[in-house]
């Protein structure tokens, strides 16, 4: 098991940035996210949500920004859509971006990859620059005000009628209330918000599409397939049954 230590004087955002600079984290980043069926299924759900958005853009040539791109986990999925894509990846970890460049070479799209070492709360782009801006797994690790800043930045740099995608951990998830009942502590370093708060960050007048996902770390494949019926029913079950919420909106 990998031990991660923090300077207690740091903010949650600073802790997250420091963690993903570590060489040992970067080296196992992709492997640790594809070990088990529940991890692969989550990736497939995220990838399908993203690819559907890309295919729905009525342009053959589009400019895409992956915020907190890490090692470029979504890179093969983005380029599988058969559109002409100018891909930009932004992250605070130089080490992660180096891994992304290696991955880009393997899929022979290096000339279409542009990387940016930058903070997501203050991105180095002009207004209305991208057709699609997305981030996965970033907002969980930063506090509410920083979440709001990142979402507002994503909206700012997206073109009119362009798309914004992000995910949040659901503060109204039923297990959160059960944990309080059983006296269990919240997990350190994870910041959850309600679906209503996420919609408020976007703007309540916006048309918002959501995808719900029950993210249970069940390592036995057979047991996970049984549990996964809850994800198959996500169109009919209320959001309180789901740990993760993916949101897509048009600017």
């Amino acid at each position: 098991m990998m031990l991660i230590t923090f300077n207690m004087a740091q903010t949650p955002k600073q802790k997250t940035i420091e963690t993903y600079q570590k060489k040992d984290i970067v080296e196992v980043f992709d492997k640790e996210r594809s070990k088990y069926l529940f991890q692969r299924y989550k990736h497939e759900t995220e990838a399908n949500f993203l690819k559907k958005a890309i295919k729905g853009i009525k342009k053959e040539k589009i400019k895409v920004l992956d915020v907190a791109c890490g090692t470029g986990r979504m890179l093969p999925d983005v380029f599988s859509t058969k559109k002409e894509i100018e891909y930009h990846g932004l992250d605070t970890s130089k080490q992660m971006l180096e891994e992304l460049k290696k991955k880009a070479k393997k899929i022979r799209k290096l000339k279409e990859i542009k990387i940016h070492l930058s903070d997501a709360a203050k991105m180095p782009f002009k207004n209305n620059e991208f057709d699609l801006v997305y981030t996965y797994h970033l907002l969980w690790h930063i506090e509410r005000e920083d979440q709001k800043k990142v979402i507002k930045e994503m909206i700012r740099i997206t073109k009119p009628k362009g798309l914004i995608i992000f995910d949040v951990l659901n503060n109204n998830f039923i297990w959160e209330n059960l944990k309080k009942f059983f006296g269990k502590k919240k997990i350190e370093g994870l910041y959850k918000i309600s679906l209503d708060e996420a919609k408020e960050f976007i703007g309540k007048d916006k048309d918002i599409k959501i995808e719900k996902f029950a993210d249970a770390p069940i390592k036995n494949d057979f047991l996970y397939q049984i549990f996964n019926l809850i994800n198959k029913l996500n169109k009919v079950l209320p959001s309180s049954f789901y740990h993760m919420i993916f949101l897509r909106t048009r600017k």
Side-chain angles (χ1 to χ4, degrees):
M1 180 179 290
M2 192 178 299
L3 179 65
I4 300 173
T5 58
F6 295 122
N7 175 349
M8 297 307 291
Q10 292 177 309
T11 66
K13 180 177 170 182
Q14 289 167 335
K15 290 177 184 178
T16 300
I17 290 171
E18 183 178 296
T19 296
Y20 291 106
Q21 303 288 344
K22 295 176 188 254
K23 186 178 179 182
D24 53 353
I25 297 287
V26 175
E27 287 175 347
V28 300
F29 190 78
D30 286 343
K31 288 181 181 178
E32 289 295 316
R33 280 150 184 78
S34 59
K35 267 187 182 180
Y36 302 107
L37 180 61
F38 80 89
Q39 293 167 318
R40 296 192 294 274
Y41 189 87
K42 178 165 65 173
H43 173 87
E44 183 183 351
T45 301
E46 293 166 340
N48 287 341
F49 195 61
L50 176 60
K51 287 190 287 187
K52 187 175 180 181
I54 293 172
K55 291 173 182 176
I57 297 173
K58 295 178 180 179
K59 294 167 68 175
E60 286 307 309
K61 184 174 182 179
I62 61 172
K63 191 171 181 180
V64 173
L65 175 65
D66 183 351
V67 179
C69 59
T71 61
R73 180 169 62 94
M74 289 290 164
L75 201 58
D77 298 293
V78 168
F79 281 104
S80 75
T81 58
K82 298 183 179 178
K83 287 200 182 257
E84 189 177 341
I85 293 171
E86 181 184 317
Y87 172 95
H88 292 248
L90 179 142
D91 206 283
T92 55
S93 171
K94 186 177 180 180
Q95 288 78 7
M96 290 281 188
L97 292 173
E98 288 301 318
E99 289 299 312
L100 184 149
K101 286 195 285 186
K102 291 177 189 176
K103 192 173 292 180
K105 286 180 182 178
K106 290 179 182 177
I107 61 172
R108 300 177 183 178
K109 293 286 184 179
L110 186 60
K111 67 180 180 179
E112 296 169 37
I113 301 293
K114 297 181 179 6
I115 60 172
H116 309 270
L117 188 65
S118 178
D119 188 336
K122 194 174 181 181
M123 292 189 269
F125 306 114
K126 298 175 183 177
N127 295 348
N128 309 321
E129 195 164 334
F130 294 92
D131 297 289
L132 171 67
V133 179
Y134 71 93
T135 189
Y136 284 135
H137 303 194
L138 167 64
L139 301 177
W140 314 353
H141 299 292
I142 56 179
E143 294 178 290
R144 188 182 186 280
E145 283 308 306
D146 283 320
Q147 291 176 359
K148 186 175 181 180
K149 286 177 186 176
V150 170
I151 292 168
K152 294 300 181 187
E153 271 290 272
M154 291 173 69
I155 294 170
R156 177 186 69 79
I157 63 176
T158 302
K159 294 177 182 178
K161 298 186 179 179
L163 296 174
I164 302 103
I165 291 176
F166 63 90
D167 61 332
V168 297
L169 292 185
N170 183 13
N171 196 41
N172 291 333
F173 180 41
I174 193 168
W175 177 237
E176 292 302 309
N177 294 320
L178 289 174
K179 280 199 296 187
K180 292 174 188 175
F181 179 79
F182 289 112
K184 288 187 173 289
K185 293 182 179 178
K186 291 184 177 181
I187 298 173
E188 283 290 321
L190 291 182
Y191 298 89
K192 305 181 180 185
I193 60 173
S194 68
L195 182 55
D196 284 343
E197 285 178 295
K199 289 179 177 179
E200 182 184 317
F201 292 164
I202 296 170
K204 292 189 176 180
D205 59 326
K206 295 286 196 303
D207 178 34
I208 300 170
K209 306 295 182 187
I210 71 166
E211 181 83 17
K212 299 170 285 189
F213 187 76
D215 184 25
I218 299 172
K219 296 179 181 179
N220 180 286
D221 286 0
F222 176 72
L223 292 178
Y224 183 72
Q225 286 176 3
I226 295 171
F227 170 85
N228 203 41
L229 289 172
I230 196 170
N231 283 320
K232 304 292 186 184
L233 295 171
N234 67 359
K235 302 299 182 190
V236 294
L237 292 175
S239 60
S240 58
F241 277 72
Y242 296 90
H243 185 218
M244 294 178 64
I245 305 289
F246 304 102
L247 299 96
R248 180 176 74 240
T249 189
R250 191 174 296 279
K251 182 171 176 180

